[in-house]
Amino acid sequence: MNIVLSTLNAKYIHTNIAIRYLKAFAAPEFHCELAEFTIHDPTLSIVSELYQHSPDVVGFSVYIWNIEETIKVIRLLKLTSPKTVIVCGGPEVTYDYDQWLKRVPEIDIIAIGEGEKTFKDILQAVDGQADLSSVQGIAYRSDGKLKITAPGPKLDLRELPSPFRFPEDITHLSNRVMYIETSRGCPFSCQFCLSSIEVGVRYFNREAIKEDIRYLMQHGAKTIKFVDRTFNISRSYAMEMFQFLIDEHLPGTVFQFEITGDIMRPEVIQFLNDNAPKGLFRFEIGVQSTNDLTNELVKRRQNFTKLSRTVTMVKEGGKIDQHLDLIAGLPEEDYASFRDTFNEVFALRPEELQLGFLKLLRGTGLRIQAEQYGYRYIDTAPYEIVSNNVLSFDDMLRIKQTEDILEKYWNSGRFIHSMEYIVTELVDTPFDFFQLFGAFWEKQGWSRIGHQFEDLFTRLECFLEDILKIDTSIAVSLLKMDYLLHQKFLPRKIWWNTVVPEEELKEVYQTLLRSPHLLGDTFESIGYTERTIRKQVFVTKTSAQLKEDLSVTKDPGYLIVQYIPGEIAQHYHLSEQVLETVSP
């Protein structure tokens, strides 16, 4: 029997752990081929590849991000290979399975919930070893009527075979994100999340997980993401795993975790700050809202004071990058309240702040309560809301404009010096900057055209001048710094119009050659000559100096950026006053 397990990932670099668990569990009785694609691949190309396997059974792993594209594939596959049995599983079809079977009659069977044993039992039924009605946890049709079987007992996760030991995966490990589970379930009851539906948390075999991680690292995996909904729910378990990863990681490997911030103990953070190599770990922390009533309505228990302590301690440690999440559109959080939430969370200065929009997922409490809160939402995946009883569509559009600028100018990490100054000194609150700039961006029509890296700078300068109507000299000086420090080599072009006249430039170079100590020991140690300084040093006018404590002072002079092959660009400040003092 020819069996294919397939899915459409959001991006090429992603991998699907679900189909690998199914493949491992089905063996050795059944051999399954893996066939992964992306939602951007042409439907005909996907079907053509699947068809060439001459499949008797194709199992699809289905999520909100791939359901619509997967349906296109299923319909064409059934058209070209009508005898192929099509099985669907995953969070998107586990709920409202009767509606999916009605909408997509090309689907033969839906596996409800946890799929490893269910899929293997389906294969046995298709192979004639059992009757389909005896398979637990499925929905299907018989004589044109919907049939549903009761779910079986939860699996003992400690007994599941490894999903990582397939030879065909080895060549891809170094350039894909590898996902790993150490537990299933969530102890919390957040009404917007599917994880809240499963009661309790079950764990995999710890030693087996460690062996899998060793295997992945030894075969080149660089990014390993733990998909546990709350990795640190058990402090002892988290500490054991953190210690293991610190002790046995290989250089260049990064581990990502979903952390519940307010339950993380200070001593755990201090341990990581003291012992974890910089860049080894990355935390994703869901904040969602700081509105107490909103959190109460969605049954989300959260102590923002403790969460803030965690984020602050981690940030001060300087070892771990943090990604914080917000959700716009939760119950009773109007525009003003969301503005407060944004500003409270942004004050923590995470490396990334993701602003998402509520999606009423099938099976969640909020979808059931949609009418109570006046939710209007798109009825196809991903079921994003467009308004509710306290947030109008106009409000949603304004927040979307905010999100667009946040991604471009904060989360990109390209404007770390200029953004801090702008959101702190030039506007009432950070949210106001991102929203005002987002509205300006939209009004200019820039959202409908592409942009080069340089355009991000010129458009921001335009906004500062036209909308904020302020002296932009300090902000532009910091933007110059961000632009130059983003370059790996001496830039051939710049986005600003004014250049240092040649005679003035010569004077600066001569000063640096005579008195390199003015810029410190690192600069002096290079031993520049008249020839090499022009190849490795860029000079431009500046109105501000960025001090070591990241404070900014108005200090006219020159921004000097040093480019040494293979190293990160370094910047220095030479004030006009100092230049006049040392000039011959």
Side-chain angles (χ1 to χ4, degrees), residues 46-55 77 80-82 84:
I46 296 173
V47 173
S48 297
E49 184 168 332
L50 293 174
Y51 181 85
Q52 292 177 41
H53 288 278
S54 301
L77 179 61
T80 57
S81 183
T84 297

Side-chain angles (χ1 to χ4, degrees), residues 484-497:
L484 293 171
L485 292 178
H486 184 73
Q487 313 297 321
K488 294 182 179 180
F489 309 100
L490 199 73
R492 295 185 177 181
K493 64 177 181 177
I494 54 177
W495 57 267
W496 56 96
N497 296 322

Side-chain angles (χ1 to χ4, degrees), residues 16 63 83 94 244 249 322 324 331 382 394 438 523 550 553 578:
N16 183 287
Y63 304 82
K83 292 184 179 180
T94 281
F244 163 72
H249 75 276
Q322 298 178 97
L324 271 55
D394 183 63
F523 187 89
L550 299 183
T553 59
V578 171

Side-chain angles (χ1 to χ4, degrees), residues 384-401:
E384 186 169 299
I385 71 161
V386 296
S387 63
N388 63 21
N389 59 343
V390 298
L391 205 62
S392 68
F393 185 51
D394 183 63
D395 292 332
M396 291 293 291
L397 291 179
R398 294 165 68 193
I399 296 174
K400 282 187 176 292
Q401 292 167 354

Side-chain angles (χ1 to χ4, degrees), residues 42-96:
T43 301
L44 183 58
S45 297
I46 296 173
V47 173
S48 297
E49 184 168 332
L50 293 174
Y51 181 85
Q52 292 177 41
H53 288 278
S54 301
D56 297 293
V57 178
V58 177
F60 288 97
S61 182
V62 187
Y63 304 82
I64 58 169
W65 66 79
N66 71 9
I67 178 65
E68 296 302 324
E69 295 304 316
T70 301
I71 288 173
K72 296 176 185 177
V73 171
I74 289 171
R75 285 175 170 158
L76 184 55
L77 179 61
K78 201 68 168 180
L79 183 66
T80 57
S81 183
K83 292 184 179 180
T84 297
V85 176
I86 294 179
V87 183
C88 287
E92 182 55 22
V93 293
T94 281
Y95 307 95
D96 299 338

Side-chain angles (χ1 to χ4, degrees), residues 330-346:
L330 291 171
E332 302 305 323
E333 176 134 83
D334 60 14
Y335 184 84
S337 171
F338 185 77
R339 176 178 181 268
D340 291 340
T341 283
F342 183 99
N343 287 324
E344 287 184 90
V345 177
F346 191 85

